[in-house]
Amino acid sequence: MIFSPYADEAKRIEMIRRLRGEDYTLLRLTSTMIEKNNIDANGILRDMLFNWGIVDYEMLEHGGGNGKSYPALFIQNGKTEKVNLNFYRVNNTRGDRRFSIGCIRRRMLCHELNEGDLLYFSVFRTSEGFPQIYFVNLTHNCPSESDILEAVGIDAITNLFTQIRPTLRSIILGGWFDNSKGNGPIDPKDVGDTLEALLGINTNNRNDADYYGLIEVKSKGGGRTLDTLFTLRPRFDKTRVAAYEPIDRNRVSAFTRIYGYESDAHSGFSSLYITIGSMEAPQNNQGFYLHVDDENRTVNLIWTDPETHGREIAAFWFFDDLRTQLLQKHPSTIWVQAESRMLEGMGQFKYNEIEFSKAPQFATFLTLVKEGIITYDWRGYTTYEGRYRGKNHGNAWRIKPYAKERLFGQIETLNF
């Protein structure tokens, strides 16, 4: 059976996602699932249930009687009912992960659930703080937007974005704005700082999203340059860098010292200004590329020795660290394109286009790394020996602009 949505089902997913940004999983019903009420709990569903603290399949004993029952909301056209879901492991050697839907055969007779229907499962947190599962039939008896709103409401991100839309509209229609720092030449960060000032955001280096921890603001001065996702230093345990430099906080500088080159821009220093992509598209001449190691759940930064052609792990990131940073920094994002000019010593910016995205998918992040679409920029220089002197410009994970829609599932372009 096809789990991917057809065009009409995809439109209903988009409608739900406009209101609720939490992770979700899809399931297309087969006749066997309905007849036996024995439904495969796929990895995405299990991860979602575990992350919300609802059920850990690995802690369940084998056998249906040892499962865990949990109430869910079944949202339909014009009505919502509570339905018990039972999560369990089959009593066999593998302990296959399964779940069942309460009274599924009766619902088939009433045509609420049918063979071939695509179901959407997700979880939100109630006002009392409890995780609530809900599911929707995307093929038949589909709820309207008002049905969804009445049953589960809108998430905090959607609510906040609705509140700031008028301010965004005034910025787009407001023409040229003076640089928030005052007179003087324009620095690359000024376009973002000025936008944040217009939105009432204090310029910060916080770890989570800029606006109340819910909305990240990203702006750039036009062109098709890569969009920055987040900065996250790699780990260096058991690498050449760790052997050279015992103090962890110095290892980014040590990396530049070991693997860098001498450049005209920073004469007498070891410099490293490169973009690092996949093995098939490394995008640098220094022998670096990224490798996604699914088995060990790491993204490795591989270096190839130009003389011996031997390869080594020069640094790495754990999947969990990358996922945490991606979700923390981009629960939702406003992407803004701007142009700049100088007028009588004052830099000015005109904000021309705004896109809004939310709920990035980490599995897609890894896929885009494998494809060379998400890359890692190393930007810095330091001394060749002795005390580290120089500068690190904030090494960052970046994405090609056209691929943001893949990472975030959908992007809304605001039209005012």
Side-chain angles (χ1 to χ4, degrees):
M1 298 295 287
I2 300 173
F3 274 46
S4 57
Y6 298 112
D8 57 336
E9 296 165 340
K11 288 182 180 179
R12 292 169 188 136
I13 292 173
E14 289 178 11
M15 179 268 288
I16 298 171
R17 301 292 287 167
R18 284 196 299 270
L19 305 175
R20 308 285 332 181
E22 296 88 357
D23 286 345
Y24 68 96
T25 188
L26 300 175
L27 170 75
R28 198 173 292 280
L29 292 174
T30 66
S31 58
T32 302
M33 290 177 185
I34 296 173
E35 287 295 325
K36 295 185 176 182
N37 203 2
N38 184 12
I39 305 169
D40 178 52
N42 62 47
I44 298 175
L45 175 65
R46 297 199 307 270
D47 285 349
M48 184 173 71
L49 296 172
F50 176 81
N51 292 336
W52 281 92
I54 294 172
V55 62
D56 181 356
Y57 269 89
E58 303 313 307
M59 299 299 293
L60 297 179
E61 295 183 15
H62 296 193
N66 298 315
K68 179 176 180 179
S69 182
Y70 202 91
L73 300 177
F74 181 21
I75 308 173
Q76 304 170 69
N77 185 15
K79 68 174 182 178
T80 297
E81 355 174 21
K82 281 198 172 181
V83 177
N84 281 330
L85 304 180
N86 188 46
F87 306 102
Y88 62 96
R89 298 183 68 171
V90 176
N91 193 17
N92 60 17
T93 303
R94 296 189 307 270
D96 297 329
R97 287 78 168 165
R98 299 284 190 266
F99 77 101
S100 62
I101 300 174
C103 304
I104 193 171
R105 294 198 66 189
R106 176 176 63 79
R107 298 181 191 286
M108 179 192 69
L109 295 174
C110 296
H111 302 292
E112 293 177 353
L113 297 173
N114 311 275
E115 179 184 356
D117 285 355
L118 186 66
L119 305 186
Y120 177 106
F121 288 86
S122 189
V123 185
F124 72 100
R125 195 168 298 281
T126 67
S127 57
E128 293 81 19
F130 299 108
Q132 175 65 66
I133 302 172
Y134 70 96
F135 67 100
V136 172
N137 188 337
L138 298 170
T139 314
H140 295 98
N141 307 311
C142 309
S144 65
E145 184 171 310
S146 60
D147 291 327
I148 299 290
L149 280 170
E150 184 176 350
V152 301
I154 61 175
D155 60 40
I157 289 171
T158 304
N159 185 47
L160 180 60
F161 183 65
T162 301
Q163 294 177 31
I164 67 173
R165 282 185 77 115
T167 303
L168 293 172
R169 182 179 188 275
S170 67
I171 292 171
I172 289 295
L173 300 179
W176 292 92
F177 294 93
D178 288 347
N179 193 335
S180 60
K181 77 174 185 183
N183 286 325
I186 296 173
D187 293 325
K189 66 184 185 67
D190 292 346
V191 60
D193 288 351
T194 300
L195 177 62
E196 292 184 8
L198 293 170
L199 289 169
I201 302 171
N202 292 326
T203 302
N204 63 79
N205 291 312
R206 58 190 295 168
N207 292 325
D208 59 359
D210 297 318
Y211 204 64
Y212 292 96
L214 295 176
I215 301 177
E216 177 74 0
V217 178
K218 291 290 186 183
S219 57
K220 65 179 184 180
R224 302 301 295 170
T225 57
L226 300 183
D227 289 314
T228 299
L229 291 171
F230 56 86
T231 59
L232 182 65
R233 71 190 298 273
R235 295 173 181 261
F236 300 97
D237 309 282
K238 298 181 181 179
T239 66
R240 182 189 300 199
V241 172
Y244 175 86
E245 175 52 72
I247 301 174
D248 184 65
R249 68 174 180 270
N250 292 336
R251 287 176 177 170
V252 168
S253 296
F255 187 98
T256 301
R257 175 176 288 181
I258 292 170
Y259 295 106
Y261 54 86
E262 184 165 0
S263 70
D264 294 335
H266 305 289
S267 180
F269 287 83
S270 180
S271 299
L272 197 59
Y273 289 81
I274 57 173
T275 294
I276 307 168
S278 63
M279 180 176 173
E280 292 73 19
Q283 303 182 47
N284 66 86
N285 297 319
Q286 271 61 52
F288 290 103
Y289 66 89
L290 298 172
H291 173 254
V292 178
D293 185 342
D294 293 300
E295 182 176 349
N296 293 306
R297 299 179 65 78
T298 59
V299 176
N300 298 326
L301 200 166
I302 306 294
W303 178 68
T304 305
D305 189 309
E307 296 181 0
T308 66
H309 304 291
R311 295 172 180 173
E312 65 184 59
I313 297 176
F316 64 93
W317 296 262
F318 287 122
F319 279 8
D320 287 345
D321 293 341
L322 290 166
R323 179 190 292 107
T324 296
Q325 191 69 3
L326 175 65
L327 299 182
Q328 186 179 60
K329 199 63 177 175
H330 288 279
S332 68
T333 311
I334 295 170
W335 308 87
V336 184
Q337 290 275 356
E339 54 185 299
S340 60
R341 71 180 184 186
M342 291 296 299
L343 184 65
E344 297 178 353
M346 171 64 75
Q348 293 185 326
F349 305 104
K350 183 179 181 183
Y351 299 94
N352 299 321
E353 179 182 288
I354 295 179
E355 295 175 317
F356 179 65
S357 64
K358 60 181 179 179
Q361 302 297 308
F362 183 66
T364 305
F365 176 91
L366 294 178
T367 297
L368 295 174
V369 172
K370 293 176 182 179
E371 295 177 8
I373 293 171
I374 288 179
T375 56
Y376 188 71
D377 276 3
W378 199 286
R379 297 284 187 268
Y381 64 96
T382 191
T383 50
Y384 277 110
E385 57 185 19
R387 187 171 65 89
Y388 299 104
R389 293 181 293 107
K391 188 169 186 179
N392 178 273
H393 296 284
N395 306 329
W397 288 92
R398 306 181 76 195
I399 186 171
K400 294 181 180 179
Y402 69 82
K404 294 202 300 292
E405 187 169 1
R406 287 181 61 186
L407 178 61
F408 293 94
Q410 65 177 35
I411 288 188
E412 177 187 0
T413 301
L414 305 188
N415 296 308
F416 298 118

